[in-house]
Amino acid sequence: MNEKFNLALEEFIHVGVVLIFIIALVSIFTGLIRAFIPQEKLQKKLSKTGKYGGLMGALIGIPTPFCSASMVPVSMGMIEMGAPFSMVFSFLLAAPLANFVVVGFIFGVFGWEVALVYFLIVFIGAVLIGTLAGKTSLKNEVKRINLTPSTLSSTCTPQPINTQDCNSNNQSETYSKTSCNQTNTTNPKLKEALTFAWALFKRIFPYVLVGALISAVSAVFVPDAWVEKYLGNDSPLAIPIAATVGIPLYLRIEMAIPILNALIVKGMSMGAAMALIIGGTGASLPEIAIISSMLKTKAIIAFVLSVMTMAIVGGFIFYFFF
């Protein structure tokens, strides 16, 4: 028991440190974009996507090799900048599943045909589901995100100064933005970016710890023999089981694919393997815990069902054609 506890603790520290580091970097990057790119122009461009919001969100997910948790700061930034819900939802689905790192791993292990079909399944699924979600009441199932402190409403907070310092004979104190700008040597945009990044990081941090804890427990206490028993066969029933089992797991793609390749050699169907990959990397419990920082209950349920649908549909496609 002590050995399992130590393994769980090591997994918690490993996952927690990695996620915190990645989320910190992504938060800073998001803050820099927000501060240095004019928000009015960006909001206009995002709002003009209209019916193509789902497609744009999925496309943005391809070159962003974020794990399923670290994409949340980007999604929050999208919401804060006025992006349509269809874009955000598609991005949440596509970023962990359709990014080039995951597709590259699948290509390296299973070949280009499997990688291409996998990519088409998750990409088209993200576009269609995101577009549909944007037309429903789910677009109202977003938690209020107010990450901008009131101090960021201007580039500088007026401070009392003695006008004698500005070569004036008047000794009275005044409040002047101009005087404040003269005395403030910090880049206001950089300060705004870092302030926003810190607010974003603080909001997500507790959910990261919960996600890391769930990952540690599932990694250590879910026996490999159980997975092999129920998933390591060629039965079509293994596909929905694999899609469901994938949800509690936190599958790091670099570890999951070699393990699944070994299970396929032992008799596991390609359909069950792909269902497990889509379910485990798209909607694991750690990810759900972190996404709950931005989505309400109905949207989270819709997200999980969306990933499970893609996992099951994709699993049966692979089952019958590979």
Side-chain angles (χ1 to χ4, degrees), residues 66-69 71 92-99 102 106 118 122 242-243 246-247 249-257 260 273-285 287 291 303 307 311:
F66 302 130
C67 68
S68 58
M71 68 190 180
L92 286 173
L93 293 171
L97 292 172
N99 70 73
V102 174
I106 294 176
Y118 167 86
V122 294
I247 302 300
L249 303 178
Y250 179 66
L251 295 180
R252 292 196 292 274
I253 196 69
E254 68 275 10
M255 294 177 60
I257 291 181
L260 291 177
M274 289 301 158
L276 187 63
I277 289 176
I278 295 174
T281 59
S284 63
L285 282 181
E287 176 190 7
I291 286 181
F303 174 79
V307 174

Side-chain angles (χ1 to χ4, degrees), residues 27-39:
S27 296
I28 294 173
F29 179 71
T30 305
L32 291 172
I33 291 177
R34 185 188 177 281
F36 288 93
I37 296 179
Q39 295 302 293

